[in-house]
């Protein structure tokens, strides 16, 4: 019998974890094609902060190198971003013109960093913290320049700030809220964390709003809403993420904040599944890895036609990856009537 064709858009942790689970259940069911926008195999995005600190290199955070795809008979297109999906013809097309037809499509397009809408965000020296290219830019800058500003005092921002500090830069964190990691910590815990980070050498501008990024040839400073200027040779945007749904929307799939899926991780088109940060399930999107792996297991179960699992949502926990600071947060912590 002819194998069915499965196309995966997005070569990240959630999509490839789905393939791993599927290959364990039904290794010979599909001819699999994978499109990845980055020029690499599948790597552990969670460990980018350790590449930035120098504790790991790129090879050490690879989860599936190109040999893994070959060994499993998977066609991999790296550096090849899919730009259109034709659901009538069941075909996807990438920016370089590569086409692949499918019987089942798995979307794992992840998320995009939120870039706050202020002047100067397009200046050289302004980066996000989402992929290997971003980390390489930060490491390169740290060898030639000294002053860094991180906008955002959440999980990712603090890990970026710690990494840049370890690379010898003077780092200031600008945070909109009164306390750090306000999505995970109450006020006393956040104060303890801030004190520990200050003892290491980080500086903080709390309850501060960024007005503009200044510079002509490259970034030179960050201007706050009170017009104070903080010198900066590097600015890292760590102000959150947004599900990457543009491709799905253009294909006519039902999207709200994310690509809407049911408990089988199926979209409104029964041939199309979606997993990861691009997904909205029961009104909720997740940016942490444990829920994405839960989704991957269920999606693989249904792609393998077992149909015996449901994804009903996840309770999330968070760990800050800054060596020497043991911080773990789980559950609901905000004060309310209960």
């Amino acid at each position: 019998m002819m194998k069915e064709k499965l196309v995966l858009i997005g070569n990240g942790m959630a999509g490839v974890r789905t393939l791993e689970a599927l290959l364990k259940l039904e290794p010979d069911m599909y001819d699999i094609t994978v499109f990845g926008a980055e020029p690499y195999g599948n790597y552990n995005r969670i460990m980018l902060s350790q590449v930035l600190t120098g504790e790991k290199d790129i090879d050490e955070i690879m989860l599936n190198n190109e040999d893994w795809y070959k060994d499993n008979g998977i066609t991999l297109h790296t550096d090849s971003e899919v730009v259109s999906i034709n659901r009538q013809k069941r075909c996807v097309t990438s920016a370089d013109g590569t086409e692949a037809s499918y019987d089942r499509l798995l979307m794992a397009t992840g998320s995009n960093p939120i870039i706050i809408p202020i002047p100067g965000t397009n200046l050289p020296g302004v980066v996000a913290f989402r992929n290997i290219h971003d980390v390489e830019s930060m490491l390169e800058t740290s060898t030639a320049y000294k002053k860094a500003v991180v906008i955002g005092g959440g999980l990712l921002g603090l890990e970026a700030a710690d990494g840049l500090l370890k690379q010898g830069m003077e780092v200031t964190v600008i945070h909109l809220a009164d306390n750090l990691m306000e999505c995970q910590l109450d006020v006393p815990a956040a104060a303890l964390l801030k004190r520990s980070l200050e003892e290491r050498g980080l500086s903080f501008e709390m309850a501060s709003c960024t007005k503009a990024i200044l510079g002509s040839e490259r970034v030179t400073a960050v201007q706050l809403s009170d017009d104070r200027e903080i010198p900066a040779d590097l600015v890292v945007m760590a102000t959150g993420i947004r599900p990457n749904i543009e491709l799905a929307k253009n294909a006519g799939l039902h999207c709200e904040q994310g690509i809407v899926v049911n408990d089988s991780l199926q979209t409104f088109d029964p041939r199309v599944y979606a997993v990861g940060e691009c997904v909205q399930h029961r009104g909720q999107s997740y940016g942490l890895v444990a829920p994405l792996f839960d989704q991957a297991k269920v999606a693989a179960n249904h792609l393998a036609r077992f149909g015996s699992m449901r994804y009903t949502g996840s309770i999330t926990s968070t760990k800050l990856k800054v060596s020497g600071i043991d911080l773990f947060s789980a559950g609901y912590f905000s004060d309310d009537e209960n």
Side-chain angles (χ1 to χ4, degrees):
M1 284 178 65
M2 287 280 289
K3 288 185 182 181
E4 288 193 65
K5 294 176 182 174
L6 171 65
V7 171
L8 166 61
I9 302 175
N11 191 31
M13 294 172 76
V16 178
R17 177 58 75 96
T18 309
L19 295 187
E20 289 175 337
L22 175 61
L23 290 168
K24 284 176 185 165
L25 296 171
E26 288 288 353
D28 302 314
M29 190 170 190
Y30 292 102
D31 271 329
I32 302 172
T33 302
V34 178
F35 288 87
E38 293 185 69
Y40 307 98
N42 172 38
Y43 63 89
N44 189 335
R45 200 177 293 275
I46 300 165
M47 297 181 87
L48 283 173
S49 55
Q50 284 160 285
V51 177
L52 185 58
T53 59
E55 295 165 71
K56 304 245 179 226
D57 61 31
I58 300 299
D59 290 338
E60 289 178 289
I61 69 166
M62 282 291 159
L63 295 171
N64 305 87
N65 61 23
E66 295 192 17
D67 287 341
W68 177 84
Y69 296 86
K70 287 178 191 158
D71 293 345
N72 286 285
I74 297 169
T75 303
L76 173 64
H77 299 289
T78 58
D79 218 359
S80 186
E81 183 182 0
V82 172
V83 292
S84 69
I85 301 167
N86 187 322
R87 291 196 294 123
Q88 283 69 40
K89 292 182 178 176
R90 300 206 300 271
C91 175
V92 307
T93 307
S94 73
D96 60 13
T98 305
E99 291 190 349
S101 59
Y102 67 84
D103 297 294
R104 293 286 182 274
L105 178 65
L106 176 60
M107 299 195 68
T109 49
S111 61
N112 295 320
I114 294 172
I115 304 298
I116 53 176
I118 56 171
T121 53
N122 58 346
L123 282 169
V126 180
V127 298
F129 184 24
R130 290 295 294 157
N131 55 38
I132 288 174
H133 175 71
D134 294 332
V135 172
E136 287 175 338
S137 296
M138 286 190 251
L139 289 171
E140 190 180 328
T141 304
S142 71
T143 61
Y145 296 95
K146 279 295 163 212
K147 294 184 185 297
V149 167
V150 176
I151 302 175
L155 197 67
L156 210 57
L158 295 180
E159 289 177 5
D162 178 67
L164 293 169
L165 189 70
K166 286 193 168 78
Q167 294 298 333
M169 297 194 83
E170 298 169 26
V171 186
T172 302
V173 177
I174 300 171
H175 194 47
L176 196 58
D178 289 323
N179 55 299
L180 298 173
M181 288 181 62
E182 73 279 4
C183 293
Q184 289 88 17
L185 299 181
D186 61 13
V187 173
L192 289 170
L193 174 63
K194 180 170 177 279
R195 192 170 71 206
S196 295
L197 294 170
E198 283 172 334
E199 286 167 1
R200 288 166 169 243
L202 290 178
S203 300
F204 292 92
E205 292 287 343
M206 304 300 294
S208 294
C209 184
T210 307
K211 182 177 176 182
I213 296 170
L214 308 178
S216 51
E217 298 299 310
R218 64 173 289 121
V219 59
T220 56
V222 172
Q223 186 180 39
L224 301 180
S225 55
D226 60 8
D227 288 334
R228 282 185 299 133
E229 294 181 9
I230 300 171
D233 305 304
L234 172 71
V235 175
V236 181
M237 288 268 184
T239 50
I241 56 173
R242 186 177 286 123
N244 181 9
I245 60 173
E246 208 57 39
L247 183 65
K249 278 172 73 175
N250 291 341
L253 292 169
H254 179 55
C255 299
E256 291 172 4
Q257 295 301 310
I259 304 169
V260 176
V261 295
N262 62 18
D263 290 357
S264 308
L265 280 307
Q266 204 170 33
T267 69
F268 277 59
D269 180 337
R271 289 185 179 270
V272 182
Y273 292 75
V275 293
E277 292 177 341
C278 62
V279 158
Q280 178 181 319
H281 172 265
R282 298 191 184 187
Q284 179 83 33
S285 293
Y286 298 94
L288 299 168
V289 75
L292 312 189
F293 284 178
D294 292 342
Q295 293 174 5
K297 197 185 298 180
V298 175
N301 180 277
H302 286 271
L303 285 166
R305 309 275 207 287
F306 281 45
S308 59
M309 294 177 75
R310 292 171 64 220
Y311 178 69
T312 56
S314 300
I315 297 170
T316 58
S317 62
T318 302
K319 188 171 168 57
L320 180 69
K321 291 175 295 300
V322 172
S323 60
I325 294 181
D326 295 322
L327 189 156
F328 178 82
S329 168
Y332 300 104
F333 63 89
S334 299
D335 288 334
D336 65 13
E337 65 274 13
N338 300 310

